[in-house]
Amino acid sequence: WDKEGIAPLSSGIGLASGDAVVGQIGSPQRLDFTVIGDTVNLASRLESLTRRLKTPILMDERTATLAGTETQIDNLGPQAIKGMDCFPVYRPRITP
């Protein structure tokens, strides 16, 4: 795509750890398998924040803690999360 002048495909990933409700949710006429809860909302907001912070992956503090020393992580400090308070945000250090 680069050679043809087409913008490369990119996506953001938001990671949050915590409780969520998972399963078939809805009425008997229309059941959907889905995940709901504050943790899911936070992950979605982190995914949206990846564009503003120009980084492909963001995670919450709990996920960063769970990653332990296996992953090098950068603390991006407290960030305003749309529709929520400010939360500490982290990103894994990606080396080429």
Side-chain angles (χ1 to χ4, degrees), residues 1 7-12 47 51 56:
W1 289 356
L9 179 65
S10 65
S11 63
E47 183 274 328
R51 290 181 274 293

Side-chain angles (χ1 to χ4, degrees), residues 14-18 39 42-43 46 49 57-69 71 73-79 81 86-92:
L15 302 172
S17 298
T39 303
L42 178 56
L46 289 170
L49 189 61
I57 303 172
L58 290 174
M59 64 183 81
D60 68 345
E61 188 168 31
R62 187 168 182 188
T63 303
T65 300
L66 290 169
T69 57
T71 305
I73 295 173
D74 295 323
N75 183 344
L76 302 179
Q79 300 291 324
I81 306 289
C86 285
F87 286 95
V89 174
Y90 301 81
R91 71 172 170 207

Side-chain angles (χ1 to χ4, degrees), residues 27-68:
S27 68
Q29 292 78 25
R30 180 170 178 176
L31 284 176
D32 287 323
F33 186 83
T34 192
V35 183
I36 59 173
D38 290 340
T39 303
V40 178
N41 294 339
L42 178 56
S44 175
R45 296 311 196 303
L46 289 170
E47 183 274 328
S48 295
L49 189 61
T50 62
R51 290 181 274 293
R52 192 181 79 189
L53 297 180
K54 296 181 176 31
T55 187
I57 303 172
L58 290 174
M59 64 183 81
D60 68 345
E61 188 168 31
R62 187 168 182 188
T63 303
T65 300
L66 290 169

Side-chain angles (χ1 to χ4, degrees), residues 12-28:
I13 298 171
L15 302 172
S17 298
D19 295 330
V21 175
V22 180
Q24 297 284 347
I25 297 176
S27 68

